[in-house]
Amino acid sequence: MAPTDIVGRGSSAAQQWSWILLLLIPAVCGLRYDPSQIAYNINTNQTADGPINYWGEWENHTFNPSPSNWRVPFYTVLLDRFVNGNPTNDDANGTQFEHDLTQTQLRHGGDVKGLQDSLDYLQGMGIKVGPVFSQQEWHYAYYVQVLYLAGSPHINVPWGADGYSPLDFTLLDHHLGTIDEWQAAITEIHRRGMYVMLDNTMSTMGDLIGFEGYLNASTPFNSREHNALWKGDRRYNDFAFGNDELPFCDYPRFYGDDGTEVLNLSSELVGCRDSEFDQYGEVAAFGNYPEWQRQVSKFAFVQDRLREWQPEVLSKIEHFSCMTLAMLDIDGYRIDKGLTITVDAQAHWSNSIRACATRFGKENFYISGEVVAGNTFGSVYIGRGRSPDNYVENVTEAVMLTDTSDPQYFIRDEGLNAFDGVAFHYTIYRFLSRFLGLDGTFGAEGDPSNVSWIDFWEAILSTNDMINANDGITFDPRHMYGVTNQDVFRWPTIKNGIEKQLLGYFIVALLLPGIPTLVWGEEQAFYVLDSTDANYVFGRSPMSSAQAWGMHGCYNAAIGNSKYYEWPIEAGLHGCQDEWVLLDHRDPSHPVRNFIKGTHEMRENYLVFQDGFYLQLLSNRTYQIFLPGSNHTPTETGLWSIERAGNLDIQQNLTHIAWLVYTNENHTTINIFNCTDDGGALLAPFSAGSTVKNTYFPYEEYTLKDSSIVMAWGFKAFVLKENYINPTPVITTFLPGHDYRMLSTPSIPIELHFSTPMDCQEIKNTLQINSTTSDSSTPQLDVNSVHCNDMGNSDNTLSSISGTINTTWSFAATLIDVSDGIHQISINNISTAADGHATTDSNDHFLIRVGQRDNPMVFPNSANYSSGLLFKDANNSLYVSHKAAGADMFRYSLNFGTTYSDWEDYANGDSPNTTLAPRVWSGTKLQDWDGEHVIVQYWSRLVGSSDHVQHADLGIGSRQRQFPQVFLEGVFNQHGYDEGVANQMQMKNDNIWIFDFVSEWPAQVSVNLWGINPDGQPDQTRVYGDIDDDYVLDRIPPYSLINNVINIPEPPPSPFLGWQVTLNDADYRFQLTPIGSRWNQLALYILLWLIPIISGGAAVWAFVRSFYGVKLNEFGIAPKKGLEVGNLRQLFKREKVQGLEYDICEPQLSPIKPSDIGISHEFRQAKQFVQVATPITPTIPKRLTVLIATMEYEIEDWAVKVKIGGLGVMSIGDIKYPTDRPAESIAIKVLGSMYEIKTQYHTVENITYVLLDAPIFRQQTKADPYPTRMDDLDSAVYYSAWNSCIAEVMRRFPIDLYHINDYHGAVAPLHLLPKIVPCLLSLHNAEFQGLWPMRSEPESQEVCEIYNLDPAVVQKYVRFGEVFSASYLRIHQKGFGAVGVSTKYGKRAFARYPIFWGMKDVGGLPNPDPTDTGSWSGEQIKTEEISVNEELEASKPGLKQQAQDWAGLKQDPLAELFVFVGRWSNQKGVDAIADVFPSIMERHSHVQLICVGPVIDLYGKFAAIKLAQMMKVYTGRVFSQPEFTALPPYVFSGADFALMPSRDEPFGLVAVEFGRKGVLCVGTYISEPWVPTR
């Protein structure tokens, strides 16, 4: 019983997703034929070498023929939201995002086995199999029902409960059932005379494809299409995208909202790719787009669109659809999002599928399509299609047309019928919404306006081709009409909603010719909503018992419904307070179900309601209402009298007439009619004196002169009394109630109420009880307690609702010997008492649950925690003592639901104990929890639900909990990454967690049960927010577009300081309570502001008094007196020269044996260490040895000069060096491997150059002198080699001082430890410090191996937080020895970069002109002393012309030429140039600009983009080259102005170079550059 597929806590979001994919891939990748997936793969051809060769069909099976007439009730089922018949497939993919009994946004667990278990309930809604009228009355002999299974049956993402984003068309979704289970269910459905229609997404699939540049944003429409790329590792097996542009695109026909063909799209569609998917962009699910654009765009940002208008793609889609038909024996398809498919491709597909169905004996296969647009556009898709030019004005002529009629009435050729009918006719639904009193502007273009139901029907006759596609002759209207569906709200959620729903169903079932369509739960008056957005309001709560819709059942009124004005929601606001929501909803006695059952029976008893195509308005008493939000669109209100008959020429034998009377007024009206006044009479289609009878309860009779009462939202359906047929009896009430929960009791009184007196003895003899109990017993009916009672019409509980049926007779009895568990009471096809011929024609089942308060099967809320569940035995093993009498199976988790054991049978009996396997879990210390915790989940076949769990703890005292830990994440702690900010909630009482939260307002936080994983990433498996602001935690699928956070929009009221977040982990509710005091906080703030200053000052004073003293020579003049510190004692020797002291050095070159370290670059040794204040050249008796590690050097006798930056190029790979004194190679170690670095020495005067040669250094060229990045593996290897070589040089040459020229060589001294070398560090680019990440142990280990350093050394000297940098000076020189290239830069680097904060200070160099020998005195140059170099000025025009010619600028001697040379970075201020110069160029037409240098950071990259655009806008005036470039001298000499807007550094050598040429330097105010003059 050990848990399977165990995965620990240490997995990040990306790893979780990868894990999910790995679990899914085996279920998909072998679709050509994979024996491991034989239970789900509809392809059984083992030798198929391509999709077109796939095949599979139901072997040894007789296929079910199509019905002759599809105008029968349809019942919509979303399988996941129906009944759970097999719990083992609830988490079929083994992820954390599948079944969650506390959430509405993930899976419930319904499947095809649960559907099969519920067929008695479905068939009981007025379904009979067999002839009900003679052949002479009507040629259709059977009355049937169709089950429309919404959502694709094919594999979806693990959390895809709705099924509308399939990933493969040849593999069934594991959550819904195996092929065998599907075939068993469909066989039973067909046996009962019912049919099956599946959803087909046709050309939309999952969300695996993204578009280049838009992976994290919506993709705009691109007439040439975007480049596509895969979002992850998953792929579609049978379809692929392509990015090659085609020379020619054969586009399909497109139509617009006005129903006409869209022409002249040459500017909108100018190219396409060689792809099987449309790549033009994305469209939202709701929004205003041209219809043709929807047909070539990704839908709702999350559904990839196949290019079905490409023949090769269409043929595969057709083939896969035929395979599904052949394997499952389905009877029809509904095409999802039908209008997003190009119409000719849809017609071709439909023709292909009809041919496929015919092969299997289905001569009347039904294809409907979802049409959400107006009737004008929808008409293009119905049959062969009609545009406004094809409409048939005469409705009699319209119904007489055949496929051989005049082609002027059709768009497409014969045989190309697209849809047989519209699935849930939205045009009808929109008009129905207004008819039922809703306010708003919710019409669609092409909808008829200001019309009646009769006008609607005639408009449909005129505009829709409803000829049967299979025979080409029969007029066969097959639109599906409904009051609600899975994508719209539930009517009972609003005021008077049940009354409006019943009137609406009266309209669609009895008034309009077509197919009445229900959605699951409609017959139970479902009202709970589980949508979270105002523009998409729907209810999808499940039929079997569930907890989530009780927890989340209170709809937030603030969300509302944006489609309507002042939407009158009522019941939907209180669903979380209604225990009925938690029950099983397969209640056969529900009054709305009885109404629907009776309505269906009327269509059976009076075929005029099924097949009467003639509608006539007889009279009406109505008036217009203009609702405030309807934009002057009227709502006709009042009373109507309608005749429905079959007297069109095509119906010779349908002789019955029905009279329909209805009102949409919201109050009961007594109507008095004057039969002598045609204007005041309510006309009927029968002669005066006729007696008519209402086919709805109370079945009253009228002689056609009487007045009548019509209730609010009321309706009546009359037939002549002599044609009246008594309705089938129904159960009106079951007591104590369906799925009633009660405490343990030995007996239960029950009552059954009926609409008609029944045979009491038959009920007593045939009542059946099926139980799952603790002792495996079944209750008995106490025959002595039976009592039957004729009640007349005493029960008037629901008489105020039109059409509902009241009780006239009751059966009462007592069940005895009742044990704890679940009991099913069945009443099977009971006869009436009068003649025994009339029966209920149904097998009705009711549930009762009996048990103790701690039984989770009976009381799932109060029993979801038990202190008597979890124990330890004598062997210290955990075991559970079950309390779940009534369960059939169970599983458990010891790690708070991270993993579960396999499902196993529940052993009812005296000792239902289970020993548990040891806990398997891994995670951080913070994620761990005290004691032991178990979750036991139970499933029952009778209730069809696994939404029953019980938690228990052991070893934590008397506390109760259901969460391991709780962490808050948000901006306040960098979404969990800032571990220094407290974010862990504390458990206060049972199930109560609290956290005092203070932040900037408004704030957003999320709740994470696991916090940060061992890999340093926030866990993504159990993250909660509040997407609908109802103060109940919501959990949504990963990578959802919804921002799942708790919104805290307002600061707490004064004087409070923050909010205390209180969370109850038993019901997932939280609350915010204001806490704290602003005044106390202010006082504390003042104290905390003063105390550090006082204590800090004291600490500094003490530190200065106790620490060594150092005087820094800022201006090159050595102090008279100085301190010797540490290893600097032997560094300096004092010499007196002309009254001043100097620190001087002399080389001592005695090579030593090299050691095993190293890689390459050039070094040189410095002449002297300090700069003197005056240009005095004393006699130097002795010099110290100084090693300078620099990447800029000049070897004068070899004429080799390397400069990095604006003045030159770094010629490493493309410089040829002479050979001088070859030296022993240096061996270095990188990542455990040894490498050779060749060396040679070259001495010039007192400078010894050590030249290194290896491929890693030779790869750098003038175009790319540095490694391109400073934080990747390549750059780390590069600088590891550099530092290893420096260390080896220090071994060979005993030096007195190591000058670290910027951070590149800062690690070298670590290779010499424990030997200490005095070091000085000059900083040029402090912002590049510490870029190699060391956030985790794997990263740290990698850095250590690259740099060949011991982890202990790295931890002590190198690691600063989570980055890689050096701390040698801080540890061995007490923070002394670092300077910036200027005084300001040193100070700013010290303040800005935390890596330096452990040092005493970062000094600064005066950085004078190289020809100077001292610092600037502060005196300004006198203007009269300035002289002009006339020769240089005379050569200026020619030099400028050469510069303009070099840069491709206009030859303009009067131009003012600005030049920028340097690194393109924020530090150098290149972004300021890009921002300012467009304005300068506009104002000054003679200005020209040259910008040259390498891009270093994002500021430089952005500047490069801007300057590139400026080159286009200001042709011949701007030259931009963002790369290292060798500049000719005339660029410097020919310039008028040099741009130097550096932010931190002083002017630098670039300014010197320009200044010597007489070029003015332009800086920024903040950088205070040195500005030379001509």
Side-chain angles (χ1 to χ4, degrees), residues 698-972:
Y699 317 115
E700 73 273 24
E701 299 177 5
Y702 296 93
T703 299
L704 294 182
K705 281 191 179 180
D706 296 344
S707 61
S708 64
I709 296 177
V710 181
M711 295 178 291
W713 313 103
F715 47 87
K716 298 177 185 294
F718 295 106
V719 296
L720 289 172
K721 182 179 179 180
E722 57 265 30
N723 295 330
Y724 178 78
I725 300 173
N726 287 323
T728 296
V730 295
I731 301 174
T732 57
T733 304
F734 170 73
L735 296 177
H738 176 66
D739 201 19
Y740 189 79
R741 323 290 175 87
M742 60 174 54
L743 288 171
S744 299
T745 179
S747 63
I748 304 173
I750 64 170
E751 290 187 26
L752 293 164
H753 295 186
F754 290 84
S755 62
T756 304
M758 307 301 292
D759 187 329
C760 185
Q761 187 65 32
E762 183 180 355
I763 296 177
K764 183 172 67 173
N765 295 337
T766 60
L767 187 143
Q768 295 180 355
I769 303 172
N770 182 22
S771 301
T772 304
T773 59
S774 57
D775 56 5
S776 301
S777 67
T778 300
Q780 302 299 313
L781 183 69
D782 182 358
V783 295
N784 296 322
S785 66
V786 173
H787 175 71
C788 297
N789 182 34
D790 190 346
M791 303 174 64
N793 288 319
S794 60
D795 182 4
N796 293 313
T797 305
L798 296 172
S799 60
S800 62
I801 300 179
S802 185
T804 53
I805 303 171
N806 280 13
T807 294
T808 64
W809 187 86
S810 67
F811 170 92
T814 300
L815 301 181
I816 58 175
D817 300 329
V818 178
S819 298
D820 287 357
I822 300 173
H823 308 279
Q824 182 188 71
I825 294 92
S826 300
I827 302 91
N828 299 323
N829 201 23
I830 302 302
S831 304
T832 58
D835 53 16
H837 295 302
T839 68
T840 57
D841 282 334
S842 61
N843 296 328
D844 298 318
H845 309 289
F846 298 93
L847 296 175
I848 296 178
R849 308 194 204 190
V850 181
Q852 297 295 318
R853 284 288 182 194
D854 60 355
N855 185 336
M857 296 304 302
V858 181
F859 303 106
N861 280 344
S862 62
N864 71 347
Y865 190 94
S866 174
S867 58
L869 177 67
L870 183 62
F871 301 94
K872 279 189 177 180
D873 60 18
N875 298 321
N876 215 31
S877 296
L878 292 174
Y879 71 92
V880 292
S881 178
H882 295 287
K883 316 293 181 185
D888 289 304
M889 298 183 75
F890 77 96
R891 65 176 184 169
Y892 65 88
S893 172
L894 289 170
N895 48 29
F896 287 91
T898 301
T899 57
Y900 278 90
S901 66
D902 289 334
W903 286 94
E904 55 186 292
D905 291 337
Y906 183 88
N908 285 289
D910 295 334
S911 301
N913 295 341
T914 301
T915 301
L916 309 182
R919 184 179 83 182
V920 179
W921 182 83
S922 63
T924 67
K925 184 178 180 180
L926 274 180
Q927 292 175 326
D928 205 353
W929 59 92
D930 297 332
E932 300 289 348
H933 185 89
V934 69
I935 305 173
V936 187
Q937 182 179 4
Y938 300 97
W939 170 82
S940 163
R941 180 187 59 81
L942 290 177
V943 302
S945 173
S946 62
D947 281 15
H948 304 86
V949 300
Q950 194 164 58
H951 294 252
D953 287 290
L954 192 65
I956 63 168
S958 60
R959 289 183 300 160
Q960 296 183 12
R961 64 180 175 187
Q962 296 189 18
F963 290 166
Q965 307 288 348
V966 185
F967 302 88
L968 293 186
E969 297 175 350
V971 175
F972 78 98

Side-chain angles (χ1 to χ4, degrees), residues 532-545:
T532 59
D533 200 327
N535 72 346
Y536 189 26
V537 180
F538 57 86
R540 296 180 183 174
S541 51
M543 288 297 288
S544 60
S545 57

Side-chain angles (χ1 to χ4, degrees), residues 1193-1403:
Y1193 55 90
E1194 181 178 5
I1195 306 177
E1196 295 178 352
D1197 61 329
W1198 283 358
V1200 172
K1201 185 176 183 181
V1202 176
K1203 293 183 180 180
I1204 305 172
L1207 295 181
V1209 298
M1210 183 177 181
S1211 301
I1212 305 301
D1214 41 8
I1215 288 181
K1216 293 183 179 180
Y1217 298 89
T1219 300
D1220 193 349
R1221 289 181 292 154
E1224 184 177 357
S1225 296
I1226 297 175
I1228 67 168
K1229 187 176 184 180
V1230 179
L1231 291 172
S1233 300
M1234 303 300 297
Y1235 300 92
E1236 179 187 15
I1237 308 298
K1238 295 180 180 180
T1239 64
Q1240 65 164 312
Y1241 303 149
H1242 177 62
T1243 302
V1244 179
E1245 298 179 352
N1246 64 326
I1247 302 173
T1248 296
Y1249 296 91
V1250 180
L1251 296 106
L1252 313 174
D1253 190 12
I1256 193 171
F1257 301 118
R1258 286 284 180 179
Q1259 71 184 3
Q1260 303 306 132
T1261 66
K1262 63 180 181 180
D1264 192 11
Y1266 281 116
T1268 54
R1269 295 175 57 181
M1270 300 294 183
D1271 60 353
D1272 64 345
L1273 179 63
D1274 290 342
S1275 63
V1277 170
Y1278 183 92
Y1279 290 113
S1280 170
W1282 172 234
N1283 281 274
S1284 296
C1285 288
I1286 296 172
E1288 179 59 24
V1289 170
M1290 287 191 284
R1291 287 191 181 94
R1292 296 185 182 187
F1293 298 89
I1295 64 171
D1296 299 293
L1297 178 66
Y1298 171 36
H1299 178 199
I1300 307 172
N1301 192 9
D1302 223 334
Y1303 74 101
H1304 310 94
V1307 177
L1310 302 183
H1311 290 288
L1312 304 178
L1313 291 173
K1315 180 181 178 181
I1316 307 302
V1317 177
C1319 299
L1320 295 178
L1321 170 66
S1322 60
L1323 294 171
H1324 298 262
N1325 296 286
E1327 66 268 26
F1328 291 111
Q1329 292 279 356
L1331 295 183
W1332 289 289
M1334 302 182 72
R1335 297 163 296 190
S1336 62
E1337 288 306 315
E1339 289 180 342
S1340 300
Q1341 185 64 32
E1342 183 179 51
V1343 169
C1344 294
E1345 292 177 357
I1346 292 173
Y1347 277 87
N1348 193 29
L1349 292 174
D1350 186 89
V1353 172
V1354 172
Q1355 183 68 29
K1356 180 177 181 180
Y1357 290 94
V1358 178
R1359 187 167 187 171
F1360 185 79
E1362 294 182 345
V1363 298
F1364 179 77
S1365 192
S1367 301
Y1368 191 88
L1369 301 184
R1370 175 172 57 85
I1371 295 174
H1372 289 293
Q1373 297 179 194
K1374 297 184 178 180
F1376 175 73
V1379 294
V1381 293
S1382 71
T1383 301
K1384 177 180 291 186
Y1385 190 63
K1387 292 179 179 179
R1388 288 185 177 178
F1390 183 71
R1392 182 175 296 174
Y1393 304 111
I1395 186 66
F1396 302 123
W1397 292 352
M1399 306 181 70
K1400 179 179 182 295
D1401 190 13
V1402 175

